Amino acid sequence: MLALVAAACGDDDGDDEATEPDQAAEPGEPAEEPSGDVSLAHNWTGSELEAFEAVIDGFEASFPDVSVELVQVPFEEMNAQIPQQFSSGSAPDVTVALPGLMRLLVEGDFLTPVDDLWDPWIDDGQYTESLRQTASVDGSTYGVWFKANVNSLIWYRPDTFQALGLNVPETWDDFTAALDAAKAQGTEPVAVGGADQWPLTQWSDSILASVAGPDVANGLVDGSVSWDDPQVVEAFEVFGQLIADYFPDTALDRGFVEATCAVMDGNAAMQNQGAFVSLVAPGECDESLVPGEDFSFFPLPAFDEAGEDTQFISGDLFVANADGDNQPAAQALLEYLGSAEAQQIWAERGGFIAPNADVPLDVYPTDTDRQAAELWPAHSGAAAVYDLDDAIGGEIQNTEREALQQFVRDQDVDAFISTMVDVTEQVRGQ
């Protein structure tokens, strides 16, 4: 990678003028009409990719002189591949980036600020300041929200619950009682896609937000809270007991799709996942499945009913390469992806929550999608906790995912906490 950087920076043939970016339009002149090719990196596959392709078709219909090249990067390889591409000068014009990766790219001076896009969005009420903060680093905004998600949703089949004699739990005690009842009848209580690593964070973040509260969970992101904080330790003690009592032996053998299909096939009672299951289940498991009828969800009950109302969220942002060859097209694409027009295309297909407040709730195709959208903090008023490892990113994120797999094996709270304290000290010098 260093050789590639040196080669890219060392090409000094005196033709500086030919490599300078286009100058911005003078005040009063019309902005340059975007045209040409623009590349975009994403990590969707299957039914989600089909939905995103429909969004890109909408952009190309609005900008017929622009052609978008989609580059698929596996989700689990984003944190390795994307920084390498930026360092070597081979990065796409636009890339999906979770907050932690975005922060890393900003530190390398690789991204174009997009404050000019955000100012009118905030003025028009399309986004909130808290969402802008998630897309910002050191006071400047670099990311554009596109796909939002609410997590801590427990997916189940009503007919499976009926066969097991289960009711939808409303409290934590109800929830563990339902898990006990499923287990006693020989049904896998929860399906877990731990082979993909990130599904384990759906559990750890949910329980951390519920047990320790939003301030502690968010404090792990900015470093104001240490991993050995007593409330963090308590949360992982709760999680460890849940693993010991209810996780299946296949927890680290299945991936996300396999775990989802285990619930849809009736082989497992429940799964803790995000709102995107509404699209993935019929798209990847059985196309005849009808959200809200054949499968549904309930929010993970609060560990402490007296605690603050908290919603664990995540979402996909897009950023622009500061050294991209087609800045006008990249900026037009970012503005489109952040618009209600673009987000409504996927929202109408299901398994998607639009972060743009101008997307009306009645466009969602099923009650399940609509109910999930209503849980988005802008609608529900709940305190938001962004997906922890995605918000931190980098080496801490990679270490946490690996440590969670080991935690599933041994439920050793002290070892897990020690690992996280050590990697945080190494990375942040705390």
Side-chain angles (χ1 to χ4, degrees):
M1 182 171 69
L2 290 174
L4 288 170
V5 174
C9 296
D11 185 15
D12 186 6
D13 58 5
D15 191 15
D16 293 337
E17 181 178 351
T19 60
E20 288 182 1
D22 293 338
Q23 297 298 313
E26 293 295 329
E29 293 182 1
E32 181 180 349
E33 183 68 21
S35 62
D37 298 331
V38 62
S39 55
L40 180 149
H42 68 94
N43 45 49
W44 290 297
T45 59
S47 52
E48 291 191 300
L49 175 56
E50 292 176 5
F52 186 60
E53 288 173 336
V55 175
I56 297 303
D57 288 343
F59 172 76
E60 292 181 334
S62 298
F63 297 90
D65 293 332
V66 179
S67 178
V68 181
E69 176 194 3
L70 294 180
V71 181
Q72 202 274 340
V73 179
F75 178 79
E76 63 275 11
E77 297 178 21
M78 288 290 291
N79 286 343
Q81 285 195 26
I82 295 299
Q84 289 177 1
Q85 290 175 7
F86 273 93
S87 295
S88 66
S90 62
D93 298 295
V94 174
T95 184
V96 68
L98 301 174
L101 176 56
M102 179 186 70
R103 187 178 302 108
L104 180 65
L105 296 177
V106 170
E107 290 172 356
D109 252 351
F110 292 127
L111 301 184
T112 301
V114 290
D115 293 285
D116 289 346
L117 296 181
W118 272 89
D119 291 340
W121 285 342
I122 295 294
D123 292 342
D124 294 344
Q126 296 178 61
Y127 290 94
T128 63
E129 281 291 349
S130 62
L131 289 177
R132 183 172 190 164
Q133 288 304 312
T134 307
S136 300
V137 178
D138 296 333
S140 294
T141 318
Y142 294 91
V144 168
W145 275 89
F146 169 69
K147 183 177 185 289
N149 185 53
V150 291
N151 299 299
S152 300
L153 305 182
I154 307 299
W155 293 90
Y156 70 101
R157 288 191 60 122
D159 56 0
T160 300
F161 265 37
Q162 184 176 9
L164 295 172
L166 305 180
N167 295 316
V168 173
E170 296 183 359
T171 67
W172 185 264
D173 287 343
D174 291 342
F175 178 55
T176 56
L179 295 172
D180 285 331
K183 182 178 178 181
Q185 296 178 70
T187 297
E188 192 174 286
V190 292
V192 180
D196 287 334
Q197 289 192 336
W198 65 266
L200 298 178
T201 70
Q202 295 282 321
W203 280 104
S204 61
D205 287 358
S206 296
I207 293 173
L208 182 64
S210 184
V211 174
D215 290 342
V216 172
N218 288 326
L220 289 174
V221 176
D222 63 22
S224 61
V225 173
S226 173
W227 283 90
D228 57 5
D229 182 282
Q231 291 174 282
V232 177
V233 173
E234 180 188 3
F236 279 91
E237 289 172 346
V238 171
F239 184 30
Q241 191 62 54
L242 196 76
I243 293 171
D245 291 344
Y246 306 117
F247 270 33
D249 294 337
T250 58
L252 298 180
D253 298 328
R254 286 185 183 137
F256 159 60
V257 171
E258 293 173 291
T260 300
C261 293
V263 174
M264 300 306 147
D265 294 341
N267 295 321
M270 302 173 232
Q271 180 194 28
N272 179 11
Q273 266 301 343
F276 42 77
V277 167
S278 182
L279 179 64
V280 172
E284 310 299 330
C285 302
D286 182 349
E287 64 182 10
S288 70
L289 291 170
V290 178
E293 296 180 16
D294 297 313
F295 65 100
S296 188
F297 72 83
F298 58 88
L300 177 69
F303 182 77
D304 181 2
E305 293 181 68
E308 184 176 356
D309 185 18
T310 303
Q311 182 61 58
F312 166 36
I313 68 170
S314 58
D316 297 292
L317 287 72
F318 281 95
V319 296
N321 183 353
D323 292 326
D325 293 331
N326 196 341
Q327 294 293 334
Q331 291 299 306
L333 183 53
L334 283 183
E335 184 171 10
Y336 180 79
L337 291 171
S339 71
E341 176 188 354
Q343 294 172 20
Q344 184 166 327
I345 293 173
W346 193 333
E348 290 172 344
R349 289 170 171 250
F352 178 94
I353 294 175
N356 190 310
D358 280 358
V359 177
L361 291 174
D362 60 10
V363 307
Y364 293 95
T366 68
D367 288 341
T368 302
D369 289 302
R370 204 156 31 252
Q371 289 163 6
E374 289 172 348
L375 292 173
W376 182 245
H379 299 297
S380 69
V385 174
Y386 192 92
D387 189 290
L388 179 62
D389 69 306
D390 288 338
I392 295 176
E395 186 178 350
I396 298 176
Q397 178 183 39
N398 295 333
T399 299
E400 185 197 5
R401 289 183 174 183
E402 293 174 359
L404 283 172
Q405 286 189 316
Q406 184 59 37
F407 190 62
V408 169
R409 298 184 186 99
D410 59 26
Q411 297 93 64
D412 188 332
V413 176
D414 290 340
F416 176 83
I417 295 297
S418 178
T419 296
M420 296 311 300
V421 168
D422 289 346
V423 70
T424 302
E425 291 178 346
Q426 292 169 12
V427 172
R428 295 177 170 173
Q430 295 178 340

